[in-house]
Amino acid sequence: MHRREAARRLLLVAAAAACGCRRRPRAARAAPVASEAAPPGGELVFEREVAGNLDLYLIPAGGGQERRLTDDPAEDGLARWTPDGQSILFTSLRTGNYQIYEISAAGGQPRRIRTNSATEYQADISPDGRTLAFLSNWNGPERLLLQDLATGALRELVRHGEHTIFGNPHWSPDGRFITYSSNYRIGHHIYVVEVAKGAERRISPLTSGGCEPRFSRDGQRVVYVSRRHLGGDVSRLVEHDLASDEERTLVSWPALNYDPVYSPDGSELAFASNITGEYQVYRQRLADGRSWRVTFGPGLARYPDYRPRR
């Protein structure tokens, strides 16, 4: 149990703790959620923790019956859909170290993507389905690696300092860039790297920083979590325009708001918030800020990801 708890803390730190994320419940506040039923919006995968056990679930984005996708004593989390919408990548502690797995959306036995003794997690597949981006400390410090899925060839894309914590790599829709976070030198910030050349740039303001970035569906913006200068248990979801460097706040509920992802049509966000005292998944329409709660089951729910349109 001691080893498992130590590994659990490692993943939580690497995934979001550098941004100040905590999983413990907080005092409940009224959620600014619309009273009418949520409109349909495809399907979401997310992680739910029940009685200390973390597994993956599927749910219609408009709300409804949840379907449990994994059921293992080890932790399964940090899910991402594959581009074809047929399967889901996730990180699991099944071997004692965090490793990357893939499972069919229909369920069944997960398939381990890589086999080694390293800590490897937070994977995302390129839009053309050919390249896996993920975080790994295989044969060195933690860094952002790429693997050609046809040949198995590895390429180191980004390496910072020896003790750097990376987070949440995500491909742009055209496959030319990857956004991610890193706490190298100046605290946790959001970066974008050009895949072909390896040239990277910081996009989050020097005085604020952030974590958990995701590209918009047109690739022109990045949404991320910002906590700086807010104080207490509060975070905002901020959108950064890559052409102008202008930013606007999308979600500013008086709570910890995390894990943003754009819907397939780019009209809304799904995210997790502990506005009611425990993390649950919500949707918010970008045009008018109208929001809906998606998950209502027992235990905290986090890290939603929309199923791609087929």
Side-chain angles (χ1 to χ4, degrees):
M1 179 62 73
H2 176 74
R3 179 183 179 187
R4 179 179 176 183
E5 288 303 312
R8 174 183 174 83
R9 287 194 294 270
L10 172 65
L11 180 61
L12 294 180
V13 168
C19 226
C21 173
R22 289 180 286 178
R23 286 182 177 256
R24 64 175 177 82
R26 49 158 287 156
R29 297 180 181 176
V33 179
S35 58
E36 70 269 21
E43 189 174 27
L44 290 165
V45 64
F46 66 100
E47 65 181 52
R48 181 179 290 288
E49 183 178 351
V50 180
N53 193 44
L54 197 67
D55 282 297
L56 303 184
Y57 294 75
L58 296 171
I59 190 171
Q65 185 67 39
E66 296 179 6
R67 175 165 63 91
R68 190 169 185 168
L69 190 60
T70 65
D71 188 359
D72 192 275
E75 295 173 20
D76 297 331
L78 302 174
R80 293 278 178 92
W81 285 96
T82 55
D84 61 7
Q86 297 300 305
S87 59
I88 294 161
L89 297 177
F90 66 99
T91 300
S92 180
L93 193 55
R94 294 167 189 236
T95 65
N97 286 321
Y98 287 106
Q99 291 275 282
I100 301 164
Y101 290 76
E102 182 178 7
I103 187 170
S104 168
Q109 187 65 27
R111 176 179 69 92
R112 191 172 174 183
I113 300 296
R114 289 169 48 80
T115 302
N116 54 48
S117 60
T119 295
E120 300 189 337
Y121 59 108
Q122 294 190 344
D124 193 44
I125 293 183
S126 60
D128 62 9
R130 297 178 179 177
T131 308
L132 183 73
F134 61 101
L135 305 179
S136 174
N137 65 359
W138 177 76
N139 199 28
E142 182 170 294
R143 58 214 188 276
L144 175 56
L145 297 181
L146 301 180
Q147 178 174 314
D148 186 299
L149 292 174
T151 67
L154 281 179
R155 173 189 167 198
E156 181 180 286
L157 184 60
V158 180
R159 179 195 290 227
H160 288 167
E162 292 296 306
H163 304 290
T164 301
I165 297 172
F166 287 87
N168 304 92
H170 184 235
W171 291 85
S172 63
D174 61 7
R176 295 179 54 207
F177 301 94
I178 294 175
T179 185
Y180 60 94
S181 65
S182 169
N183 69 343
Y184 184 48
R185 289 183 176 173
I186 55 175
H188 228 70
H189 278 272
I190 309 300
Y191 295 82
V192 171
V193 60
E194 187 175 1
V195 174
K197 299 180 180 179
E200 62 177 336
R201 69 180 178 109
R202 173 181 51 81
I203 64 169
S204 54
L206 186 61
T207 57
S208 59
C211 63
E212 298 188 343
R214 297 292 290 263
F215 273 104
S216 62
R217 298 306 180 181
D218 61 7
Q220 297 179 11
R221 295 171 300 280
V222 171
V223 65
Y224 67 91
V225 179
S226 176
R227 286 201 64 192
R228 298 292 180 87
H229 310 305
L230 295 176
D233 291 344
V234 179
S235 64
R236 299 175 300 169
L237 303 183
V238 175
E239 184 180 69
H240 184 99
D241 186 287
L242 294 172
S244 67
D245 285 331
E246 294 180 353
E247 294 194 338
R248 64 169 179 152
T249 298
L250 301 182
V251 177
S252 58
W253 296 358
L256 287 173
N257 308 296
Y258 277 92
D259 319 324
V261 57
Y262 292 94
S263 61
D265 65 2
S267 67
E268 63 180 43
L269 289 180
F271 61 98
S273 177
N274 67 352
I275 185 72
T276 60
E278 183 175 63
Y279 284 107
Q280 295 294 332
V281 175
Y282 297 84
R283 294 164 58 196
Q284 179 162 304
R285 195 160 56 202
L286 298 180
D288 57 10
R290 189 173 293 271
S291 303
W292 299 271
R293 181 171 171 174
V294 177
T295 59
F296 291 86
L300 64 85
R302 287 200 54 182
Y303 290 103
D305 195 36
Y306 284 94
R307 188 173 196 166
R309 286 179 170 173
R310 290 170 290 173

Short mmCIF file of all heavy atoms in Angstrom, two decimals, residues 20 120 127 168 226 230 251:
data_model
loop_
_atom_site.label_atom_id
_atom_site.label_comp_id
_atom_site.label_asym_id
_atom_site.label_seq_id
_atom_site.Cartn_x
_atom_site.Cartn_y
_atom_site.Cartn_z
N GLY A 20 -1.24 23.62 -8.46
CA GLY A 20 -1.95 23.82 -7.22
C GLY A 20 -3.19 22.98 -7.07
O GLY A 20 -4.00 23.22 -6.19
N GLU A 120 5.63 6.36 -17.47
CA GLU A 120 5.19 6.92 -18.74
C GLU A 120 3.69 7.16 -18.68
O GLU A 120 2.93 6.26 -18.28
CB GLU A 120 5.55 5.99 -19.91
CG GLU A 120 7.06 5.77 -20.01
CD GLU A 120 7.49 5.04 -21.26
OE1 GLU A 120 6.66 4.32 -21.85
OE2 GLU A 120 8.65 5.19 -21.65
N PRO A 127 -3.21 13.68 -34.95
CA PRO A 127 -4.47 13.61 -35.70
C PRO A 127 -4.47 12.59 -36.83
O PRO A 127 -5.52 12.04 -37.17
CB PRO A 127 -4.63 15.04 -36.23
CG PRO A 127 -3.90 15.88 -35.25
CD PRO A 127 -2.72 15.07 -34.81
N ASN A 168 0.43 17.22 -19.64
CA ASN A 168 -0.70 17.30 -20.58
C ASN A 168 -0.35 17.67 -22.01
O ASN A 168 -0.90 18.63 -22.56
CB ASN A 168 -1.73 18.28 -20.03
CG ASN A 168 -2.21 17.90 -18.65
OD1 ASN A 168 -1.65 18.37 -17.66
ND2 ASN A 168 -3.21 17.06 -18.56
N SER A 226 -5.33 28.58 -15.01
CA SER A 226 -4.50 29.59 -14.37
C SER A 226 -4.96 29.79 -12.93
O SER A 226 -6.15 29.92 -12.67
CB SER A 226 -4.61 30.92 -15.13
OG SER A 226 -3.86 31.93 -14.45
N LEU A 230 -4.84 34.58 -7.68
CA LEU A 230 -6.24 34.46 -7.34
C LEU A 230 -6.45 34.22 -5.86
O LEU A 230 -7.42 34.69 -5.27
CB LEU A 230 -6.88 33.31 -8.15
CG LEU A 230 -6.92 33.52 -9.65
CD1 LEU A 230 -7.49 32.29 -10.34
CD2 LEU A 230 -7.76 34.74 -10.01
N VAL A 251 -13.94 30.54 -17.94
CA VAL A 251 -14.63 30.06 -16.73
C VAL A 251 -13.95 30.68 -15.52
O VAL A 251 -12.74 30.53 -15.34
CB VAL A 251 -14.60 28.52 -16.62
CG1 VAL A 251 -15.25 28.06 -15.32
CG2 VAL A 251 -15.27 27.87 -17.82
#
